[in-house]
Amino acid sequence: MNWYPWLNETYRQVITSYQQGRGHHALLLHSLSGNGVEALCYGVSRWLICQNTDGLKSCGQCHSCQLMLAGTHPDYHVLEPEKGKTTVSVDAVRKLTETLSGYAQQNGAKVAYIPRAEALTDAAANALLKTLEEPTQQTYFLLGCEKRENLLATLRSRCLYTYLSPPELQTAWYWLQKHIAGVNYNDALTALKLCQGAPVAAMSLLQPENWQQRHALCQGLAHAMQHNDMLSLLSVMNNDKATELIGWLLGLLTDSMKLQQQAAQFCLNQDQLPLISVLASRMTYTQLFNVYEAWQQCRHQLMTVPALNQELLLTNQLLQWEALIATLTR
């Protein structure tokens, strides 16, 4: 698994606390998506499960390290939703807690990693509480989360909270330069802003397929605004990345409202200021806000309602926007 330089300080603090006997058996690691928290959790797990640690590092040579590198360590458990599902069931948690109640097969630590604690159903989270409160010896939990407020208070209270902040802009820019050949500063800055400073997410966004898809949305929106034909955006948006495209659209609408408030320096889409200016000039702040809320609701429905007719929902949303634009041109 890749390691990222901005993880070093948090990693050092966590491992030092274990070395000094102050380490908590359950860590709740709060981080943005695309900030590398998975690598941090894996690195901490490697150290906890290593049989011959070398200071802050796992040795990489012992049998436990070899099993971890092979992805076959019997005392390292990753709890994720089953394929095709979005939540972790109570049965999966019960199976895990039963396994953790026994002896470690390698006579060392047992580590349970839950990448998305928000995926635990309330019943699953409640089933985990007793084990979190009274774990067996040398049993550790690493829980990742993006939205801490979505977790049960009782679950949060049993964990030591750690926030992994995004790196400083220059650190992120230097890292992106090393990993994306020929990337320019303005594109990198825009991608980082759109990803709230998370470099791994920004690198994914800057990949040609994703970056071109974002540009296609911006060009399509500019054309739709010019010709009062919002429905023309349907061919751009109706695909398997619809929710991501709506997210970019929401960012453009937000920036247009910022522009109306003379706050252009805070716009995320610095490479699309002409398009943002068109949006800001064509609609009032209230109209922009209403369109924003409508798209936000549309995105929420696409993400939460099973078997929804995406094309019909997007068509309805675009037609409503087109009707609004039409009233403004009369």
Side-chain angles (χ1 to χ4, degrees):
M1 182 174 287
N2 293 328
W3 185 257
Y4 309 108
W6 58 89
L7 303 178
N8 290 340
E9 181 58 24
T10 303
Y11 175 83
R12 183 191 64 78
Q13 291 174 356
V14 170
I15 299 303
T16 299
S17 69
Y18 284 120
Q19 289 177 320
Q20 296 175 350
R22 299 182 290 103
H24 201 279
H25 68 274
L27 296 181
L28 177 61
L29 293 154
H30 180 197
S31 175
L32 295 168
S33 175
N35 204 27
V37 69
E38 301 87 356
L40 176 63
C41 289
Y42 179 73
V44 172
S45 299
R46 283 275 306 274
W47 189 91
L48 289 170
I49 221 159
C50 177
Q51 296 169 338
N52 187 27
T53 55
D54 179 18
L56 295 174
K57 300 178 181 179
S58 52
C59 71
Q61 303 298 321
C62 69
H63 187 52
S64 282
C65 281
Q66 292 300 308
L67 288 172
M68 285 292 287
L69 289 169
T72 57
H73 201 296
D75 298 317
Y76 177 63
H77 310 276
V78 181
L79 188 61
E80 294 182 287
E82 296 178 6
K83 187 175 181 180
K85 297 184 178 180
T86 58
T87 59
V88 175
S89 69
V90 64
D91 289 337
V93 169
R94 286 171 179 163
K95 183 178 179 180
L96 172 66
T97 55
E98 183 179 351
T99 301
L100 294 174
S101 66
Y103 291 103
Q105 295 188 40
Q106 294 299 311
N107 298 315
K110 293 170 288 183
V111 178
Y113 171 41
I114 305 176
R116 289 186 61 252
E118 302 99 323
L120 293 166
T121 64
D122 285 353
N126 282 318
L128 190 62
L129 294 180
K130 183 172 176 58
T131 306
L132 281 177
E133 190 169 6
E134 299 175 1
T136 52
Q137 189 175 13
Q138 281 194 289
T139 300
Y140 300 93
F141 291 88
L142 300 175
L143 286 74
C145 75
E146 292 179 31
K147 296 182 179 180
R148 183 178 56 158
E149 65 275 11
N150 289 349
L151 303 180
L152 292 180
T154 48
L155 182 70
R156 298 198 305 265
S157 67
R158 285 164 173 78
C159 303
L160 179 66
Y161 173 77
T162 299
Y163 178 65
L164 178 63
S165 60
E168 293 183 356
L169 176 61
Q170 287 306 312
T171 300
W173 161 236
Y174 178 71
W175 183 82
L176 286 172
Q177 275 184 302
K178 288 182 63 178
H179 289 83
I180 305 178
V183 65
N184 68 66
Y185 180 77
N186 286 334
D187 284 353
L189 179 62
T190 298
L192 283 166
K193 286 187 174 184
L194 288 170
C195 297
Q196 298 177 274
V200 183
M203 183 172 70
S204 176
L205 175 56
L206 285 165
Q207 296 306 305
E209 179 185 351
N210 296 327
W211 200 241
Q212 288 167 11
Q213 194 165 29
R214 174 178 171 269
H215 273 292
L217 172 69
C218 295
Q219 290 171 358
L221 179 57
H223 177 274
M225 292 295 294
Q226 181 181 357
H227 297 279
N228 300 326
D229 181 17
M230 307 311 294
L231 192 59
S232 63
L233 276 174
L234 183 63
S235 60
V236 178
M237 300 183 69
N238 187 31
N239 54 55
D240 58 358
K241 289 190 175 181
T243 56
E244 190 171 359
L245 286 159
I246 294 174
W248 295 333
L249 179 57
L250 290 171
L252 292 165
L253 291 167
T254 301
D255 282 350
S256 64
M257 288 186 274
K258 292 176 184 175
L259 202 62
Q260 287 183 343
Q261 302 299 314
Q262 286 76 52
Q265 70 273 26
F266 297 110
C267 289
L268 302 180
N269 299 274
Q270 290 289 329
D271 62 336
Q272 295 295 331
L273 289 178
L275 172 58
I276 294 165
S277 296
V278 171
L279 287 167
S281 64
R282 292 288 299 277
M283 291 182 283
T284 67
Y285 185 91
T286 300
Q287 289 164 340
L288 283 168
F289 183 77
N290 289 339
V291 170
Y292 175 93
E293 281 202 320
W295 277 111
Q296 192 173 46
Q297 177 63 23
C298 176
R299 185 170 182 263
H300 178 73
Q301 287 180 292
L302 288 173
M303 294 174 68
T304 59
V305 181
L308 195 65
N309 188 321
Q310 176 177 289
E311 183 174 2
L312 184 61
L313 186 64
L314 292 174
T315 299
N316 180 62
Q317 193 63 43
L318 290 167
L319 286 174
Q320 288 184 22
W321 196 359
E322 189 171 305
L324 173 63
I325 296 293
T327 63
L328 299 175
T329 57
R330 290 173 187 169

